Structures are given as structure tokens and as C-alpha cells.
Amino acid sequence: MEHRVFKIEEEHRPKAALTISTDACLGGAERVHFFSLGPHTDISPERYDCPAIYIGAGGQADYALGYGREQEDRGEASFFPVRLEKGGVLFVPGGILCGMKAREMGFVYTEILMEKETNMNEILKPAEVFCLKDLIDYEKGSIANMDLASGSGVKLMILSFDEGCVLSEHRAPGDALLFALEGKAVIGYEGKDYAIREGENFRFDKNGLHSVRADGRFKMALLLMLEG
């Protein structure tokens, strides 16, 4: 595939009255999808048996989260609202009802389905919306790395680069998707350089030789697909 810097929100623009789901084709596992919801369109509450992570790429949506199956069977089912927008992340445990409705500008997001046995960082509280770039601080003269969720096949992490820091050239052990969260950097990929800035994305193929060089301070999230 062509390697380039892109924006999820621009490549999956909302269309009136449509909900569009596109397989991200990462690792061949059909665990990652890009969604676009037209203005005021909705997805009725449904549940996955596995944990799900939602990352906002553009616009806004109001999510309705319900209790688990046991509470529903006892007639205790009710919903509480949370709002997700660009740059936000929402963790929904398996078995929880989850629906959403786009606001007036529509909504674009990435949906990540984790394995049932997933290690979740306690910093991500279930059913609370967080700003991804605020989950990690800068460390003087260093690159800091924090795993948010990890399983046998999927890992989501965030990294911060102090000014001038470089992640040395190495090969990706699986397909990966980079989310630039703050600042600017240069991605070296298979002998070419790609400038990237906040709000943009880049995809790595498995075994792709790459490096990351911060241009000032830089924060990123990385979604990595691993072979189980």
C-alpha cells in the first residue's frame, strides 16, 4: 500500500443519513474499524462480549452506556450519557450496552475490539472519556511509554518525546497505526521521511523499518497488532 500521512476524519467524512463502517485492515483480524456517522444518525445500544475502545477523530457524539447483562435481567437496565469528540478516548468493558448518536456535524471515530482477556491500565476508567494526550506527561530528555491496553493480539500505547528525542530505527512486529496527539515529528519509514503533526495519522506495515524523531516536544498513540 502507499505510505503517507493522512487524517482519519478526512478520509472517512460523515455523509447525511449514513452510518459507514470500514475495516482498517490491520493484522487481518477485523478488530479495528473506522466509523463515520452522518449528522444526528445513531447506532442502537448493543454489547460486545469483549472490551471495546473508541477514539474520536472528528465531530462529536453522545454515547449511551448501560448496565451489564445481569442488571438488565433484573430489570435494572438504564443508561447514562457521555460525550466523545476528537482526541478523546472511551473504554467500554465487555458485556456493557453501548449506543451512540452523532451531533450536528456528524462523528468519525476508530473502534478497537480487544480480546476478552485484556490487560487494561487503571488510568482508563470504564465509561469515562479522557483526552488521550493528557494521559502522559513529558520526561526531561527522555521518551516515555505507557501501555493503555494489551492482549495477545492487540496493544494500544501512548508515548511522549521530549524535545530532540529519537526512537531509533527498528522493525514493527505487526501492522500498526500511529495517532499524532501533540506537536510535530518526522517519521522515517523504509528510507523516506514523512513530517507529521497533531491530528494526523501514519500506518506501518509488519516488519516496516521505521523511526520517530520529535520536532520539539511530541506525543503520539500507537495501535499495534500482534500475532497470537
Side-chain angles (χ1 to χ4, degrees):
M1 65 172 296
E2 178 188 4
H3 290 95
R4 57 190 172 82
V5 174
F6 67 98
K7 289 186 177 182
I8 293 171
E9 63 179 311
E10 292 182 354
E11 302 214 344
H12 300 273
R13 293 184 182 274
K15 296 183 179 180
L18 291 180
T19 296
I20 303 172
S21 169
T22 305
D23 186 354
C25 298
L26 289 171
E30 296 188 351
R31 287 188 170 274
V32 183
H33 293 82
F34 302 128
F35 276 81
S36 66
L37 279 63
H40 304 295
T41 60
D42 66 276
I43 295 178
S44 299
E46 58 187 11
R47 60 165 56 89
Y48 291 119
D49 289 339
C50 62
I53 296 175
Y54 302 90
I55 300 176
Q60 295 178 326
D62 293 319
Y63 279 63
L65 304 176
Y67 288 107
R69 188 180 299 274
E70 292 182 5
Q71 288 84 355
E72 184 181 10
D73 291 343
R74 294 199 300 266
E76 299 174 356
S78 62
F79 293 89
F80 60 94
V82 294
R83 181 167 295 172
L84 187 61
E85 57 188 25
K86 182 176 180 177
V89 59
L90 173 66
F91 161 48
V92 179
I96 300 296
L97 285 168
C98 177
M100 66 207 69
K101 183 173 183 179
R103 294 180 64 81
E104 56 273 6
M105 299 301 293
F107 187 52
V108 181
Y109 64 97
T110 302
E111 177 192 76
I112 307 164
L113 301 181
M114 307 296 294
E115 295 98 341
K116 289 184 180 180
E117 301 300 324
T118 293
N119 297 315
M120 299 296 306
N121 191 313
E122 293 182 355
I123 199 171
L124 278 185
K125 308 297 183 187
E128 290 187 26
V129 174
F130 297 87
C131 181
L132 260 179
K133 66 182 180 182
D134 292 342
L135 294 178
I136 193 168
D137 293 325
Y138 293 104
E139 301 293 334
K140 184 171 179 161
S142 304
I143 299 173
N145 176 17
M146 178 190 295
D147 287 351
L148 294 180
S150 60
S152 61
V154 186
K155 177 182 281 190
L156 177 65
M157 66 192 82
I158 51 177
L159 299 92
S160 67
F161 294 68
D162 198 16
E163 185 172 357
C165 288
V166 179
L167 187 63
S168 300
E169 200 170 51
H170 62 286
R171 296 191 182 276
D175 292 345
L177 180 64
L178 183 153
F179 301 77
L181 304 178
E182 183 172 86
K184 299 183 294 182
V186 176
I187 307 297
Y189 188 81
E190 294 291 352
K192 293 185 178 181
D193 287 343
Y194 302 85
I196 192 168
R197 64 176 61 239
E198 179 176 339
E200 296 179 333
N201 304 86
F202 193 88
R203 175 174 171 156
F204 304 116
D205 289 337
K206 181 179 179 180
N207 292 321
L209 186 64
H210 67 279
S211 62
V212 181
R213 182 175 74 251
D215 181 4
R217 284 182 156 186
F218 179 64
K219 291 182 182 180
M220 59 176 268
L222 187 70
L223 176 63
L224 177 63
M225 311 304 290
L226 301 169
E227 293 183 357

